[in-house]
Amino acid sequence: MTDVAQAFVPGHVTGFFTSDHDPDPTKAGSRGCGIALSEGVTVTVRPADEVSVELNGEPITMGAVERVLDALKAPAAVSATTDLPLGAGFGVSGAMALGTALATNAAFDRRLSRNELVTVAHGAEVQAGTGLGDVVAQANGGVTVRLEPGGPQDNALDRIPARGRVEYHVIDDLATDGVLDGDTTALTTAGKKALSDVVGEPTLDRFMRASREFARESELLTARVRDVILDVNEAGGTATMAMLGETVIALGTGLTDAGYDPDVCQIHPAGATLEP
């Protein structure tokens, strides 16, 4: 056991996804595709007398993190910092769950493998209702294509080989559980179509087009996001909606060229890592 351990987990924006249910939360999840971001979440874990969770210095209730600590039988103080907004489609809850798993394993000398820790974090987030596929993508990095749902023991992953600049413009947040707890039939149908398109043409351009089509066909596209996407398109760029958040992501300088003042990051090629 060490006094403290720290992990960095990239943010993740999902372009499209399915909702795949299973009684075992480690087998449930989603198929889809998304981009890992150089902006992410740094999670610090310290052994403590009782569990506490903070985000950017403020106490927060985070069911996925608490489930990870319970699974690892680790009373700990978890402190996370990030510049990414919570609830806007950047996978912050998944990052906190995965970062907690990695750092707790080190701080408490649990001696679990990476796949075991990803499975714990993935199952915890599915049970908490805050995400279906962020954790496995954040563990993998890059532009991950999730071909099958579930944790590492069940899923199948591929990647679109790509690097580059990503801009984002946050309008508002969306309640993830409100979408995932509802009827996801149309959403899953649209997600399967988008996945088939990207598997047939695994490029960033096809990913963006498939994501826009998914946002429209799943009826998740909001009027405000649509208007920003149209502005980017008219300026010659390409943009789509981050799932699940009222957030627009664009490649290159798409949002800047359209007259917006976006936040800027890069595609992050690596997955989550322990910090020295």
Side-chain angles (χ1 to χ4, degrees):
M1 182 182 292
T2 63
D3 290 336
V4 61
Q6 191 171 82
F8 172 79
V9 184
H12 181 255
V13 286
T14 297
F16 58 84
F17 66 102
T18 63
S19 179
D20 297 283
H21 302 281
D22 192 281
D24 182 345
T26 68
K27 298 179 183 297
S30 70
R31 289 160 284 175
C33 186
I35 301 174
L37 304 176
S38 56
E39 289 284 351
V41 181
T42 298
V43 180
T44 303
V45 171
R46 294 178 174 84
D49 292 333
E50 59 183 30
V51 169
S52 64
V53 183
E54 290 186 352
L55 177 61
N56 292 334
E58 297 293 331
I60 186 173
T61 299
M62 186 69 70
V65 170
E66 293 166 4
R67 288 176 184 274
V68 168
L69 293 175
D70 184 62
L72 298 180
K73 296 179 173 56
V78 177
S79 176
T81 58
T82 184
D83 290 330
L84 296 171
L86 183 65
F90 292 97
V92 172
S93 60
M96 287 185 65
L98 180 55
T100 298
L102 292 171
T104 299
N105 186 60
F108 287 82
D109 194 26
R110 290 296 182 252
R111 304 186 183 187
L112 297 180
S113 73
R114 183 178 181 83
N115 278 357
E116 288 173 320
L117 295 168
V118 174
T119 298
V120 168
H122 171 74
E125 187 172 43
V126 169
Q127 285 183 299
T130 50
L132 293 174
D134 285 322
V135 168
V136 295
Q138 288 165 316
N140 193 49
V143 185
T144 295
V145 184
R146 304 187 308 279
L147 300 170
E148 295 294 340
Q153 78 281 9
D154 294 294
N155 67 26
L157 305 178
D158 202 349
R159 277 200 201 188
I160 296 173
R163 296 287 296 272
R165 172 180 169 122
V166 178
E167 297 185 339
Y168 61 90
H169 173 67
V170 178
I171 300 170
D172 206 347
D173 58 10
L174 287 176
T176 299
D177 54 359
V179 174
L180 300 183
D181 290 343
D183 184 355
T184 57
T185 303
L187 177 156
T188 295
T189 298
K192 289 179 180 178
K193 178 179 179 297
L195 180 60
S196 177
D197 290 345
V198 168
V199 168
E201 185 186 337
T203 65
L204 274 182
D205 181 65
R206 193 68 189 94
F207 162 73
M208 295 296 283
R209 284 186 282 133
S211 297
R212 286 196 301 273
E213 292 165 6
F214 169 82
R216 183 177 62 253
E217 293 171 6
S218 65
E219 299 182 352
L220 292 171
L221 182 66
T222 69
R224 292 189 294 182
V225 168
R226 180 198 62 214
D227 290 345
V228 177
I229 291 174
L230 289 174
D231 288 342
V232 173
N233 289 347
E234 289 174 3
T238 180
T240 190
M241 178 179 175
M243 302 291 162
L244 287 160
E246 202 170 12
T247 296
V248 178
I249 57 171
L251 301 179
T253 57
L255 281 160
T256 299
D257 294 343
Y260 292 88
D261 183 23
D263 291 286
V264 178
C265 58
Q266 302 288 323
I267 296 174
H268 190 67
T273 56
L274 275 175
E275 299 281 75

